């Protein structure tokens, strides 16, 4: 299960991109749902994200993130109509409930809740893609030019997690065989039992961190100005993807400022798309978002294209 | 002129009144391979840190004497120059890696040296090619095996182009195949690449013959600095244990002779052929009943495992219908390559995991229904890492803790266990402050206080020196003599033949061979050095003592007997 959640070399198009290119694309997938509230845009971006996840063989990973993300999304969907009585189209009246009293459920509030839930899922999708498609070392490598200490810290912390997991389960097994039953006892007793494990982990990480520090010292860490090893060739595909991501961001900001990508929920649901300009901006933004996926599809299919980009 | 020269060097760790290194004098010439050995706490690792320039810089403390590298005092070297001139690979493959990917790890040291990018690319590419790490280039270091991690650690140091390479017990955490891989690399780095290497090791079977010189340390001092053959003879006279079996055997045969001591199986077989030609091979395949040292066949088995299947949640099928019967009152060793299911079998026997098919009867009781926290009454389990056991503030409390968990009263068992394991002087100390051998004894005592009929040990000799191994072997022997049963998983063949009575060979989740320890003679890979030496000859030789009695009891030997 866990292995789906993290980066694994799957030889996909997105993984083959330069870290800056994939980061800009994922930034578009993350930022667009943050400043757009238009349901059509949000649905399309969510679908594009899903398409990206499926073509990048990250479906299993996405599903794992979904199991976490679905409940808050559903909660958003349900809570908004319960808490907000704005909107003109009354669907039904709820009998008085404890704490919140009687409520009017409106179509507008329900739609707004659904859109917020969708927005949340779209953001989760962007994060799922980040975790499955982006090699952490490449990002830290990218950052290390500007903030190498933070980059190194991230790397060390990342390395610690699997070690700690392994140590925790080993220590737990050992203590179980010594008669410690982690499943019984009241909350205080159980906390105490886990406290022992935590203490074990703390001591062993402290001992381990000294060893790591020593190994770093022996490899001349901090002996003067560092250089940075970046071996990420930039290809045509990286330009294409970054440009289309920037285009998507720029176009949607422009459309939002000019009111082409706005949608009115209250007091009554507005028209989905207003006029030719509305359709134009929608199509342009979606094309920019989909372009990297289309290129990726061709990259996977035609060796000729692969060799050219 | 020597590349490295240390003169009258004495070193105290901070706040210590005893020196950790005393009056050290070493000279290492360019291209030499120096092997440093000694017991736990003899100062080997401190010496490694000193040579690597980490002492006193990283550790502090007081130091006297001189350390010259290429003719110049090391103190005067700039830090960057010092760490690129002397590289060190540490014991624990896990803790010395910093970055998350293989290529990033190799680059780390080069970045620290501030090398230009082109130079870094070249060095990383070369070292990855030489150590065959190219296929793993983009891998996460977490996903590598222990051997691969250690190879990576070696690669990242070599990439820094050190003039001297220090290896501090690089194989102590590895299985024999991975260890052999590292030693092969060490050999080729020394013989073909001309690297000057200082190898600190306790596992001498595979590296003793590679050394130009052997240094033995004791109590922070160098007590021997000689060629390996000479050192073997000297140690034999002094009763020191740091000699691999073949060298020990020949040094014992001719302790006073001037002829060189054969160090490898090949040299040894030639020497045997020359001085004691083999008689026509007798029937080698003795019926098992005649070689078995105890009549175990008749006993009711203590453990009866039948048709065990186990698949891990991520899909690895680790047990494939394994069936096994283990008699009581014996020391049984489980051998096998990595991922053959050894640890899984031990966990199944311990009841930490339950078989998905098949069952395990322990003294006739089905263990499938027992929770892990109930299993402790039936068996003691010692994992690879004794630190997993140490949760209390004193050694005594640690022992009592187990008893309390099972609701047992202390009817003097804690005191007795501490006495048997020589823990009495340490009873009031915090277990975390003890040495690794002592920690292991505390962990062992903490599982033995329930007086279980069965003791399971996972790699108990890992990281132990000869002396501690001997103590452990003797203690396990006592348990068996008192009617207990000991099952241990190990990679340590010499330990298995010295103390084990019964051997189970696993491969790919099933038992491929099982019987008295003599079955190892027939094995290709699992035959101990002495069995390889005597292969095709008369007698039942697995240990040095058996070899000596075969030679001395049989035809006369050319050399003088020791």
């Amino acid at each position: 299960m866990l292995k789906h959640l993290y980066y694994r070399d799957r030889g996909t198009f997105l993984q083959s991109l330069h870290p800056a290119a994939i980061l800009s694309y994922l930034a578009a997938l993350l930022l667009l749902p943050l400043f757009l509230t238009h349901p059509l845009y949000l649905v399309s971006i969510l679908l594009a994200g899903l398409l990206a996840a499926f073509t990048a063989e990250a479906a299993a990973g996405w599903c794992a993130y979904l199991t976490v993300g679905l409940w808050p999304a559903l909660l958003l969907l349900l809570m908004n109509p319960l808490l907000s009585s704005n909107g003109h189209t009354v669907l039904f009246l709820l009998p008085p409930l404890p704490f919140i009293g009687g409520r009017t459920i409106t179509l507008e509030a329900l739609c707004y809740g659904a859109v917020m839930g969708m927005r949340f899922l779209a953001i989760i999708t962007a994060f799922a893609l980040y975790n499955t498609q982006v090699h952490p070392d490449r990002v830290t490598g990218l950052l290390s030019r500007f903030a190498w200490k933070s980059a190194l810290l991230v790397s060390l912390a990342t390395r610690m997690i699997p070690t700690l997991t392994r140590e925790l389960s080993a220590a737990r097994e050992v203590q179980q065989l010594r008669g410690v039953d982690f499943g019984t006892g009241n909350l205080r007793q159980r906390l105490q039992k886990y406290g022992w494990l935590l203490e074990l982990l703390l001591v062993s990480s402290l001992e381990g961190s000294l060893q790591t520090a020593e190994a770093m010292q022996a490899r001349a860490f901090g002996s003067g100005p560092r250089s940075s090893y970046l071996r990420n060739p930039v290809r045509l595909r990286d330009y294409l993807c970054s440009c289309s991501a920037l285009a998507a961001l720029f176009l949607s900001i422009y459309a939002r400022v000019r009111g082409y990508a706005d949608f009115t929920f209250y007091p009554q649901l507005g028209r989905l798309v207003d006029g030719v300009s509305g359709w134009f901006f929608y199509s342009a933004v979606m094309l920019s978002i989909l372009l990297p996926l289309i290129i990726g599809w061709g990259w996977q299919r035609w060796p000729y294209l692969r060799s050219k980009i | 002129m020597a590349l490295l020269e240390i003169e009258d060097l004495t070193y105290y760790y901070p706040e210590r009144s005893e020196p950790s290194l005393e009056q050290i004098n070493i000279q290492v010439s360019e291209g030499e391979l120096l092997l440093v050995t000694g017991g736990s706490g003899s100062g080997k690792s401190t010496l490694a840190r000193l040579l690597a320039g980490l002492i006193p810089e990283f550790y502090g403390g007081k130091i006297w004497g001189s350390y010259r590298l290429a003719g110049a005092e090391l103190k005067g070297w700039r830090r960057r120059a010092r760490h690129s001139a002397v590289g060190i690979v540490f014991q624990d493959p896990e803790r010395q890696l910093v970055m998350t990917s293989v290529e990033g790890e190799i680059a780390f040291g080069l970045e620290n040296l501030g090398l230009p990018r082109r130079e870094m690319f070249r060095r990383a590419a070369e070292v990855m090619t030489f150590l065959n790490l190219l296929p793993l280039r983009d891998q996460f270091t977490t996903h590598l095996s222990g051997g691969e991690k250690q190879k990576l650690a070696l690669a990242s140091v070599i990439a820094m182009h050190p003039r001297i390479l220090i290896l501090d017990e690089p194989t102590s955490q590895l299985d024999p195949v991975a260890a052999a891989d590292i030693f092969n690399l060490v050999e080729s780095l020394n013989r073909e690449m001309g690297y000057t290497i200082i190898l600190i090791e306790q596992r001498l079977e595979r590296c003793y013959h590679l050394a130009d010189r052997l240094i033995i340390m004791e109590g922070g001092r160098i007590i021997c600095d000689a060629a390996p053959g000479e050192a073997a003879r000297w140690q034999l006279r002094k009763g020191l244990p740091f000699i691999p079996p073949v060298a020990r055997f020949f040094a014992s045969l001719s302790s006073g002779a001037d002829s060189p001591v054969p160090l490898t199986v090949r040299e040894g077989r030639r020497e045997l052929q020359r001085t004691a030609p083999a008689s026509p091979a007798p029937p080698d395949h003795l019926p098992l009943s005649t070689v078995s040292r105890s009549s175990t066949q008749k006993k009711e088995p203590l453990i009866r495992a039948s048709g065990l299947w186990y698949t891990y949640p991520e899909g690895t099928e680790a047990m494939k219908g394994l069936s096994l019967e283990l008699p009581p009152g014996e020391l049984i060793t489980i051998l096998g390559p990595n991922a053959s299911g050894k640890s899984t079998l031990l966990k199944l026997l311990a009841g930490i995991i339950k078989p998905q098919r098949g069952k395990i009867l322990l003294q006739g009781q089905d263990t499938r229904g027992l929770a892990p926290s109930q299993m402790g009454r039936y068996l003691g389990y010692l994992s690879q890492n004794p630190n997993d056991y140490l949760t209390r503030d004193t050694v005594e409390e640690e022992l009592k803790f187990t008893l309390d968990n099972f609701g047992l009263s202390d009817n003097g068992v804690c005191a007795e266990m501490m006495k048997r394991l020589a823990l009495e002087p340490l009873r009031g100390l915090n277990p975390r402050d003890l040495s690794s051998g002592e920690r292991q004894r505390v962990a062992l005592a903490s599982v033995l206080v329930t007086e279980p009929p069965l003791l399971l040990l996972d790699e108990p000799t890992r990281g132990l020196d000869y002396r501690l191994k001997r103590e452990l072997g003797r203690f396990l022997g006592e348990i068996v003599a008192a009617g207990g049963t000991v099952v241990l998983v190990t990679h340590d063949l010499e330990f298995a033949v010295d103390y084990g009575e019964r051997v189970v060979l696993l491969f790919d989740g099933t038992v491929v061979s099982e019987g008295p320890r003599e079955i190892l003679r027939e094995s290709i890979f699992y035959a101990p050095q002495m069995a390889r030496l005597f292969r095709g000859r008369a007698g039942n030789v697995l240990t040095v003592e058996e070899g000596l009695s075969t030679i001395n009891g049989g035809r006369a030997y050319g050399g003088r007997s020791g």
Side-chain angles (χ1 to χ4, degrees), chain B residues 412-462:
Chain B
V413 66
C414 287
E416 192 206 324
M417 210 45 83
M418 282 193 281
K419 195 173 160 204
R420 280 176 69 190
L421 283 159
L423 291 171
E424 267 178 330
L426 315 172
R427 65 192 300 164
L429 298 183
N430 190 321
R432 286 274 170 183
D433 293 335
L434 304 179
S435 73
S436 60
E438 289 164 345
R439 287 183 191 194
Q440 192 191 42
R441 293 212 300 274
V442 175
L444 195 56
S446 78
V447 298
L448 286 177
V449 284
T450 60
E451 300 178 302
L454 173 64
L455 178 61
L456 304 172
L457 305 108
D458 194 358
E459 295 276 1
T461 61
R462 189 181 262 205

Side-chain angles (χ1 to χ4, degrees), chain B residues 104-311:
Chain B
E105 185 66 40
I106 294 173
F108 178 73
L110 307 179
E111 291 174 323
N112 291 338
L113 293 179
L115 295 175
R117 194 167 293 175
R118 187 174 274 276
E119 175 69 10
M120 289 199 280
F121 291 163
R122 186 179 66 80
R123 290 195 187 185
E126 276 186 19
V127 79
M128 282 192 285
T129 314
F130 174 62
L131 292 173
N132 199 18
L133 289 169
L134 272 178
L136 304 174
R137 200 177 67 200
D138 287 327
Q139 288 263 348
F140 282 116
T141 46
T142 322
H143 296 165
L144 303 183
S145 69
E148 287 167 338
K149 279 182 189 152
Q150 204 57 303
K151 224 158 114 177
L152 175 60
L154 185 58
S156 4
V157 171
I158 295 174
M160 294 171 77
H161 287 188
R163 295 187 67 180
I164 299 175
L165 189 58
I166 297 161
L167 306 163
D168 184 12
E169 298 194 42
T171 67
S172 68
Q173 312 283 319
L174 307 182
D175 68 274
V177 179
D181 214 20
I182 295 287
F183 285 133
N184 288 342
L185 271 173
V186 168
E187 186 175 10
S188 105
L189 281 169
N190 178 247
R191 302 271 153 92
E192 281 147 46
M193 308 281 161
Y195 273 92
T196 308
I197 294 179
I198 299 172
L199 174 65
I200 289 129
E201 254 307 334
Q202 298 195 16
R203 202 170 179 167
L204 301 172
E205 288 94 53
R206 287 172 189 271
C207 58
Y208 200 81
H209 64 283
L210 299 177
D212 294 307
R213 260 164 55 218
L214 177 74
I215 282 185
I216 303 173
M217 296 200 61
E218 196 180 88
R221 284 171 167 272
I222 292 176
I223 55 167
C224 171
D225 182 349
E230 262 173 69
R233 286 210 178 95
W234 181 83
Q235 287 191 68
L236 210 63
R237 285 199 297 277
K238 299 277 175 190
L240 288 171
F242 310 106
I243 325 172
V246 169
R248 170 178 290 276
F249 172 72
F250 285 104
S252 310
L253 281 177
S254 57
S255 55
D258 296 330
S259 57
V261 178
L263 301 177
T264 61
V265 172
R266 189 173 86 139
E267 289 167 12
R269 284 180 71 89
R270 283 190 186 154
E271 176 72 6
L272 267 189
Q273 200 57 40
R274 190 175 65 79
T275 52
S279 51
D284 228 15
H285 302 273
L286 301 175
L288 289 185
S289 56
T290 62
V291 290
S292 175
R293 291 191 293 184
S294 50
S295 54
T296 53
Q297 273 77 358
K298 293 172 197 74
K299 286 186 211 162
E300 180 64 22
L302 178 79
I303 299 170
R304 184 174 279 160
S306 47
L308 297 185
W309 290 82
Y310 189 81
T311 305

Side-chain angles (χ1 to χ4, degrees), chain A residues 1 3 6-9 134-138 140 144-145 151-152 154-156 158-160 162-163 166-167 170-171 173-182 196-197 199-201 203-205 207-231, chain B residues 49 54 57-59 79-80 83 86 88 90 92 94-101 103-105 107-115 117 120-121 124 137-138 140-142 149 156-157 160 314 347 350 352 372-373 375-376 379 381 383 387-392 398 401-402 405-406 432 439 446-447:
Chain A
M1 185 68 182
K3 69 180 179 190
Y6 301 108
Y7 180 93
R8 221 162 20 104
D9 195 2
V134 184
H135 196 301
D137 260 12
R138 297 220 182 115
T140 43
S144 67
R145 276 193 196 172
L152 183 72
V154 169
S155 170
L156 281 170
T158 321
R159 275 195 40 74
M160 234 175 106
T163 316
R166 211 166 30 233
E167 281 175 1
E173 286 166 6
V174 158
Q175 295 300 333
Q176 276 182 325
L177 284 176
R178 281 178 76 192
V180 180
D181 190 345
F182 290 92
W196 297 331
L197 288 187
E199 207 177 311
L200 275 183
L201 286 191
V203 174
S204 86
S205 349
E207 288 174 352
S209 62
L210 264 181
Q211 290 173 23
T212 309
E214 190 185 11
M216 286 165 68
Q217 174 98 356
R219 276 157 72 192
F221 180 73
S223 65
R226 292 181 99 231
S227 51
S228 128
Y229 181 97
L230 263 187
R231 215 178 47 84
Chain B
R49 281 157 179 74
L54 291 166
E57 185 189 83
F58 187 78
Y59 285 90
R79 224 193 109 205
R80 188 168 266 187
H83 288 307
V86 190
I88 178 166
F90 296 91
D92 190 342
E94 194 66 48
R95 304 291 196 184
Q96 57 186 310
L97 302 182
V98 179
M99 303 303 284
T100 43
S101 84
E103 195 171 356
E105 185 66 40
F108 178 73
L110 307 179
E111 291 174 323
N112 291 338
L113 293 179
L115 295 175
R117 194 167 293 175
M120 289 199 280
F121 291 163
R137 200 177 67 200
D138 287 327
F140 282 116
T141 46
T142 322
K149 279 182 189 152
S156 4
V157 171
M160 294 171 77
E314 88 277 0
K347 283 185 180 178
I352 297 169
S373 53
M375 294 295 289
L379 52 89
Y381 172 78
S383 77
N387 293 340
D388 291 342
Y389 292 79
L390 313 177
T391 57
R392 310 282 98 191
E398 199 70 65
F401 178 63
T402 314
N405 288 333
F406 289 110
R432 286 274 170 183
R439 287 183 191 194
S446 78
V447 298

